[in-house]
Amino acid sequence: MAATKTRTSSFSRNFSTPATTSTPGLKYGPNSTLFVSSGIPDLDKILGGGFALGSLVMVMEDTEAPHHMLLLRNFMSQGLVHNQPLLYASPSRDPRTFLGTLPNPASSKDDKSHNRDTEQEKALRIAWQYKKYFGEHQQNSDGLRDGKQLEYCNDFDLRKPLERHFLTGQLIDCISLQDCANLTTFRDRCSTFLSQLPRYDGKISCAGRIAIQSFCAPQCEFSSMEWEMLSLIRSLKSMVRSSNAVAVITFPSSVVSPSFSKRCQHLADTLLSVKAIPDEDKELATLLTGYQDMVGLLNIHKVARLNTQVPAILEATTFSMKLRKRRLLVLECINQAPVDGSSGTSYATSGSCSSSSKTGTLDF
Amino acid sequence: MDRTSNLVDEAMAMESGGVVLIEDCVETNGAFILHHLIKRHLSPPQSSLLIFVAFAQPFSHYDRILRKMGCNLVVQRDNKRLLFLDMLMLECPDGDGSKTCEVGLRALFGKIQKAVEVGALAESKGNITIMIDDISLMEVAAHGSSNHVLDFLQYCHTLTTQFGCSLVALNHKDVYLSRNEATLILQLEHLADVVIKVEPLATGLATDVHGQVTVINKGRRIEDDERFGRSMNKLKNFHFRVKDNIVDYFYPGSRT
């Protein structure tokens, strides 16, 4: 035998690259959903691709810390980098000024390499049927060589403001919620914004983003009209569902009534919450590793499940928000620090009936 | 055709007529029970009519899910066995307040009543089922007037007694937190013959068990002489795991 023939079975999996969208800002996911990036690579990974197109994302704020702004900023910048129209609403009098605080994509010198190495290692373990979802890494490396930011998700440098050319000539609409006496005008503006992005099953050219910050903040006149606000969120959800857009709404859940907050939580397709971490908390410092670098906590309560009934069970739902090199937002799983045997407060007393906190003889 | 029934079907033990209330919460979504009931009502041998009032999700969402479960909603809709009322954009506009909400819900009830009457007149000996996607969203559409929502549901209930059709509704239990807000959910629980509660596991998240479902059957549909000497309220608790095409129900602890 001159050449050994490789035996091929009658079954052959086609490893052809999946249908990639021509637009870099969109990615195909399971159950014929499309994803847009949240602007935070770790969050995209956790959510299984990003924010589903047509979904409503709600973020419950912590009134003690502005971490929801980090999420919003990355979300908005990512949209602008990908030329996606943006509608931004906030309770401030002049929302346009917020655009000046949007971050710029980080220069791709050393940041990407660390990500790619870990991904390639993991790729060895992923079964073949999931390979098609990792096709993006080839795209990533190509994008880097070109020098242009054509990646699906950028790392954003929170210290550098977004370059001017992203902000001009864009379809950016800013609305001040304080100017909206009642919500019908706001709803109409959202409706006109979304009417330029109709959903149809053909080729999708463009996706839009809506970012609403601190929706029920007390400065707004309508903040006491709970049913009106719910009605607006509900109609916004339906409008977003039938168009190519993603809406992110942040709201201070502690300021509104609990049942209103619950209704909003039910309305959300994807539900996140941010929490502040107190500085210099010695107890937390002993409990968690890397406590000093943590900026806040991010909790993922619900992940959007469009077109499917199977819930998304995540391996972990609480992540710590850290700023790597003080400028890039990363999310990490919480790691409990090793329990110090001598103090033994966590395990030793939990089994015992006595309330003494001293380490007894039963010290596991 | 043999229809395999799962544990929840047996616990429900409902032939026709009656009110089923599904309660869920943020942590565990109870819509999969709705999907299962849709499939059950639309599959042969019964030729039933299903009237689905959707407040939460559009038709495409249900179509995709049911297709994976082996039920084609488009075909059923064309064959007039499914009437899908998309109420996602139902709004009772501001202005007159309660009057317009009433009008909106009244119109909706009119449509349902007409469909039920037409369905009852049809010669096929099937059951008619009315399913309401999400009552808490109906409240939002009615701008919070739970009285109108209750009236609407009471009217639907009269249809069940008059025409022998069933009513299935889903509501979110954790929305009604304080005592005075709880009127709607308490009235619904009283009205219902079967209450299905979907909750997360007490121990937290797990990949192979998605939650627990408790079926409370008030036994109202059992014949009088059978009921004698039997406990009226049957409570069954199962764990479940949701998959794309089917939901596995099993007794707690029996899944290795």
Side-chain angles (χ1 to χ4, degrees):
Chain A
M1 287 298 209
T4 49
K5 271 204 211 147
T6 52
R7 192 139 71 97
T8 52
S9 69
S10 53
F11 294 110
S12 63
R13 190 76 197 169
N14 57 335
F15 280 109
S16 59
T17 50
T20 49
T21 54
S22 53
T23 39
L26 296 171
K27 184 166 79 160
Y28 276 110
N31 301 314
S32 17
T33 44
L34 274 163
F35 287 117
V36 292
S37 171
S38 60
I40 306 167
D42 289 331
L43 186 60
D44 281 349
K45 244 179 290 177
I46 295 165
L47 292 177
F51 292 144
L53 202 63
S55 68
L56 175 68
V57 180
M58 297 199 74
V59 182
M60 300 198 284
E61 301 171 15
D62 187 345
T63 41
E64 292 175 16
H67 299 315
H68 56 279
M69 310 290 275
L70 283 173
L71 301 177
L72 269 178
R73 281 200 188 104
N74 281 317
F75 175 70
M76 290 163 65
S77 289
Q78 185 69 75
L80 293 177
V81 162
H82 282 141
N83 273 335
Q84 292 166 343
L86 172 71
L87 176 76
Y88 171 63
S90 91
S92 76
R93 287 251 170 241
D94 190 11
R96 280 250 159 210
T97 52
F98 182 69
L99 298 177
T101 63
L102 295 180
N104 200 45
S107 53
S108 42
K109 295 182 292 201
D110 46 356
D111 309 312
K112 276 296 164 195
S113 54
H114 135 270
N115 267 338
R116 257 188 300 144
D117 287 334
T118 46
E119 279 314 311
Q120 302 226 344
E121 266 176 51
K122 282 193 204 153
L124 294 174
R125 303 212 191 134
I126 304 292
W128 53 262
Q129 65 253 41
Y130 297 117
K131 263 215 164 77
K132 52 185 171 162
Y133 297 127
F134 283 81
E136 48 161 353
H137 287 287
Q138 278 83 17
Q139 283 180 36
N140 271 348
S141 41
D142 289 342
L144 282 173
R145 277 183 227 120
D146 283 350
K148 296 186 212 156
Q149 283 100 358
L150 285 177
E151 299 144 31
Y152 170 71
C153 180
N154 295 87
D155 257 325
F156 284 97
D157 186 340
L158 291 162
R159 282 171 154 193
K160 280 201 285 181
L162 193 60
E163 289 169 19
R164 283 263 118 200
H165 68 94
F166 286 123
L167 290 170
T168 55
Q170 287 283 359
L171 296 155
I172 308 180
D173 205 0
C174 290
I175 304 175
S176 165
L177 290 174
Q178 281 199 57
D179 294 337
C180 301
N182 62 10
L183 286 167
T184 35
T185 40
F186 181 53
R187 183 195 317 217
D188 293 335
R189 288 201 51 187
C190 293
S191 176
T192 38
F193 176 79
L194 289 171
S195 56
Q196 60 188 325
L197 306 155
R199 152 104 42 147
Y200 61 101
D201 284 326
K203 195 162 165 303
I204 297 178
S205 55
C206 193
R209 295 178 188 228
I210 295 183
I212 304 177
Q213 182 211 318
S214 300
F215 181 58
C216 328
Q219 304 96 295
C220 312
E221 275 186 48
F222 52 80
S223 61
S224 53
M225 311 191 310
E226 289 193 344
W227 289 108
E228 273 75 13
M229 292 197 284
L230 278 172
S231 180
L232 176 100
I233 298 177
R234 175 178 163 253
S235 39
L236 184 64
K237 177 179 174 170
S238 321
M239 290 194 288
V240 163
R241 211 42 198 273
S242 52
S243 63
N244 291 331
V246 175
V248 173
I249 304 182
T250 74
F251 71 103
S253 56
S254 48
V255 162
V256 292
S257 71
S259 89
F260 173 81
S261 173
K262 272 289 172 197
R263 283 183 197 266
C264 287
Q265 293 175 37
H266 274 287
L267 271 170
D269 291 315
T270 303
L271 181 66
L272 311 170
S273 71
V274 284
K275 244 176 113 60
I277 288 190
D279 286 332
E280 310 295 330
D281 189 330
K282 295 210 173 53
E283 269 208 37
L284 272 181
T286 51
L287 272 177
L288 305 168
T289 49
Y291 164 76
Q292 282 80 10
D293 306 323
M294 286 188 202
V295 167
L297 291 174
L298 175 74
N299 235 305
I300 301 176
H301 300 273
K302 248 199 317 188
V303 178
R305 303 303 284 166
L306 302 182
N307 299 332
T308 176
Q309 63 176 3
V310 184
I313 307 286
L314 303 173
E315 276 186 21
T317 53
T318 309
F319 295 88
S320 61
M321 299 162 74
K322 292 188 182 174
L323 291 174
R324 190 153 51 92
K325 296 187 177 102
R326 289 198 208 129
R327 42 196 174 96
L328 306 166
L329 181 65
V330 290
L331 300 173
E332 282 181 11
C333 254
I334 305 246
N335 283 321
Q336 195 175 358
V339 175
D340 191 6
S342 59
S343 64
T345 43
S346 51
Y347 293 129
T349 52
S350 57
S352 64
C353 305
S354 69
S355 53
S356 102
S357 59
K358 284 178 91 157
T359 62
T361 48
L362 296 171
D363 192 337
F364 297 102
Chain B
M1 186 167 127
D2 220 6
R3 240 184 322 142
T4 51
S5 65
N6 55 29
L7 288 174
V8 168
D9 285 333
E10 287 167 12
M12 278 173 58
M14 262 182 45
E15 289 306 321
S16 70
V19 180
V20 179
L21 174 68
I22 305 169
E23 291 178 350
D24 69 356
C25 50
V26 175
E27 296 83 22
T28 349
N29 195 322
F32 63 91
I33 304 227
L34 268 182
H35 305 149
H36 168 74
L37 289 175
I38 295 175
K39 176 163 181 209
R40 205 175 76 157
H41 284 286
L42 285 179
S43 51
Q46 292 179 322
S47 58
S48 9
L49 168 65
L50 175 64
I51 304 170
F52 196 91
V53 184
F55 280 95
Q57 307 282 3
F59 180 76
S60 56
H61 174 91
Y62 289 110
D63 184 33
R64 277 230 142 82
I65 294 178
L66 267 294
R67 214 182 291 173
K68 286 184 216 160
M69 293 168 69
C71 182
N72 194 329
L73 287 188
V74 178
V75 166
Q76 302 283 3
R77 188 172 55 171
D78 294 337
N79 290 344
K80 300 274 187 288
R81 288 190 50 200
L82 165 70
L83 174 62
F84 192 91
L85 299 167
D86 187 323
M87 294 284 127
L88 261 72
M89 295 303 285
L90 173 71
E91 274 308 321
C92 305
D94 302 332
D96 227 352
S98 58
K99 198 102 184 293
T100 43
C101 309
E102 211 180 318
V103 165
L105 286 181
R106 206 181 283 177
L108 175 61
F109 178 71
K111 275 189 228 172
I112 297 177
Q113 187 178 27
K114 196 156 44 151
V116 169
E117 283 168 358
V118 166
L121 285 176
E123 49 209 42
S124 54
K125 198 175 68 94
N127 307 314
I128 308 172
T129 311
I130 307 169
M131 274 197 199
I132 303 177
D133 193 314
D134 198 332
I135 295 201
S136 62
L137 288 181
M138 197 197 295
E139 268 189 290
V140 173
H143 270 260
S145 54
S146 50
N147 290 331
H148 290 127
V149 174
L150 264 174
D151 287 344
F152 175 83
L153 290 168
Q154 288 282 4
Y155 274 104
C156 289
H157 185 229
T158 58
L159 287 180
T160 66
T161 45
Q162 194 179 353
F163 290 100
C165 53
S166 338
L167 174 65
V168 180
L170 182 132
N171 203 350
H172 303 303
K173 176 98 188 193
D174 51 357
V175 161
Y176 305 95
L177 293 165
S178 71
R179 203 57 207 286
N180 36 358
E181 288 165 12
T183 328
L184 179 63
I185 192 84
L186 291 174
Q187 295 258 18
L188 278 176
E189 283 182 0
H190 176 76
L191 199 62
D193 299 311
V194 177
V195 178
I196 303 178
K197 290 193 196 179
V198 181
E199 288 159 322
L201 289 176
T203 42
L205 284 179
T207 43
D208 45 358
V209 180
H210 291 160
Q212 54 179 330
V213 58
T214 311
V215 182
I216 304 171
N217 195 330
K218 296 199 194 151
R220 282 194 206 145
R221 310 306 295 188
I222 306 176
E223 291 302 313
D224 276 355
D225 34 333
E226 281 181 24
R227 216 199 288 185
F228 184 71
R230 214 192 273 187
S231 65
M232 302 270 249
N233 257 350
K234 286 201 172 153
L235 196 148
K236 296 243 170 95
N237 179 259
F238 315 110
H239 285 179
F240 66 88
R241 184 191 175 166
V242 185
K243 292 190 209 159
D244 256 326
N245 50 354
I246 201 168
V247 179
D248 286 335
Y249 299 99
F250 42 92
Y251 289 107
S254 64
R255 187 48 67 99
T256 49

